[in-house]
Every structure is written in structure tokens, then in C-alpha cells.
Amino acid sequence: MAALLVMAAPAAAQPGDWRAAAPALALDGQVRPLSAPVAIGGTAWGPWRRLCREQATRPGRPPQRDCLAVAEARPEADGMRLVLVQDQLGLRISALRGSDGRVAEFAALRADGSPAPADAARDGLVAAWRDQFATLSLERRRIAPREDFSLSISGSARGGTCRPEGTAALGGRPVVVTRCAVELAGRLRGGESEARVAIFGRMAIDIATGMVAAQGYATRIETFGTGGRSNGVVVTPSRVVLE
């Protein structure tokens, strides 16, 4: 995507609205309204052993699933050193996340643990996973009732806009539940078609770490041909979870 078109204010999906395609969050119970600011972050990592993303590419077919397994997690400096291994290709990645939520390092590793040499195809895959990980890693902050906050999105100078719904639990851990939205416009990668992309979703932010422990979102893509005529709309549901 080339440029930000307009930010869409987070809003509840209405019947027939494309945003209803966003997968639900597997919360432990009901969301409790936020009555006071909540401080998130301060801990570098939680109990998670996998980071997985799922995307439904065709109606009626199971979603495609791609995961990074946490092969190792050890404290280092003021953070946590993670060794992540991709299921499909065996790609190994060393990541360092600080207790402030910043991702200080994210790089490919050899099997013996040494830095991997440059490789264009592999480095592109690592960069894509780094963007994903950075989106899930919120820096330490306070989230206040009825107050919007920004979310960094790769390819968008302004990022997304999020608004808290309340607090809940996910896997027994306290989370803040938010609604987020962003709209982009530009050319699709590898093509000449102009496109407008809108994303809407809900996130469960782990309070102790500031990691987005789960998100379910829908992406609406509308492409345009010569003269600005619409080629149609595609809506894709996706999930990203820490397990």
C-alpha cells in the first residue's frame, strides 16, 4: 500500500456490515466496561509457546495457518530473548523484546545459533514476521476509557486507531479488549490496480506484557480499473493468536 486514505473510527459492526466477518475473540467471559485508566506493559514476555496467524483465503475452505514456535525464552538485560522457529520452513529467528515493549532485535539464525548470512528470500520472510511481531508488541502505556490510541501498522504512516471496550480475561490472564480500524489507499503489490483497503478488528491486549494476545479482524479490499470503475470487493477474515 502506498498511502493512507482516511482513518476509520472504530465502531461496532452492524447487520450486513463487512466488519461482521472479523473472527470473535475466545475470551473467558464477558467484557467489563473500562471505568478507569489501565496501565499495560512492564513485563517482557508471558507463558506463550506459539505465535500463529490464520487467514481464510477462499470461502468454505479451512483457513491457512502459519506459526512461529517459541523454542527458547530466556531473560536478557531488561527484556526477554526469544528463539522462534517457523513450522513450515524451519526458519529460526532471534528476537529481543524489552520490558518496555520495544522490539530491539529480530534476525535470522543458523541452526547452531550464529547469525545467518544475507539471503534475499529468507530476509523478506523475516521482515514480514518482524512487522507482524511489532504490531503485536505494544509499548508501555495507559489506556483510558473512551479515549482513542494509535496502533503501529506496517505500510501506514499514521497507523490504526483503537478504542477500548473494557477488560476481560483470555486464557486466565487479564486483558484489555479494544476495537481498531484503519483505511489505506494505493496500488496492490505486484499489480497496477488502484485499491482501497479497510481493516476492522478486535484485540485482546495482555495487561502485564502489552502483547496483543489475540486479534480477529476483517480486511475489505476494493480494486478499481480504468476510469475509477470498481472491480469488486473481497473481504478476508483473519486471526492472530499467542498460544
Side-chain angles (χ1 to χ4, degrees), residues 189-203:
R189 292 179 181 174
E192 295 299 322
S193 296
E194 293 291 330
R196 292 180 182 176
V197 180
I199 303 170
F200 169 81
R202 297 175 76 220
M203 304 192 314

Side-chain angles (χ1 to χ4, degrees), residues 160-173:
T161 296
C162 299
R163 183 172 300 169
E165 288 184 359
T167 57
L170 179 69
R173 293 175 64 88

Side-chain angles (χ1 to χ4, degrees), residues 35 39 46 68 70-71 82 90 99 108 114 117-119 122 131 137 144 146 153 159 163 201 204 219 226:
S35 59
L68 293 179
V70 181
L82 305 171
S99 60
S114 61
D119 177 272
R122 187 207 55 231
D131 288 343
S137 182
R146 298 176 297 280
I153 302 290
R163 183 172 300 169
T219 303
T226 304

Side-chain angles (χ1 to χ4, degrees), residues 111-131:
D112 62 5
S114 61
D119 177 272
R122 187 207 55 231
D123 292 347
L125 182 58
V126 171
W129 273 112
R130 181 185 179 111
D131 288 343

Side-chain angles (χ1 to χ4, degrees), residues 4 7 150-161 181-184:
L4 186 69
M7 294 304 303
S150 61
L151 179 71
S152 176
I153 302 290
S154 177
S156 167
R158 292 177 55 188
T161 296
V182 63
E183 291 190 8
L184 305 167

Side-chain angles (χ1 to χ4, degrees), residues 9 23 41 46-48 51 55 79 84 96 104 123 138 167 188 204-205 210 214 216 227 230 232-233 240:
W48 307 293
L51 187 169
Q55 188 173 68
L84 309 171
L96 178 61
D123 292 347
L138 275 60
T167 57
L188 293 174
I205 304 169
S230 175
V233 172
V240 181

Side-chain angles (χ1 to χ4, degrees), residues 198-234:
I199 303 170
F200 169 81
R202 297 175 76 220
M203 304 192 314
I205 304 169
D206 186 73
I207 291 176
T209 62
M211 289 293 298
V212 178
Q215 61 175 292
Y217 61 96
T219 303
R220 179 188 187 276
I221 302 177
E222 183 174 10
T223 59
F224 299 86
T226 304
R229 183 175 181 178
S230 175
N231 294 326
V233 172
V234 175

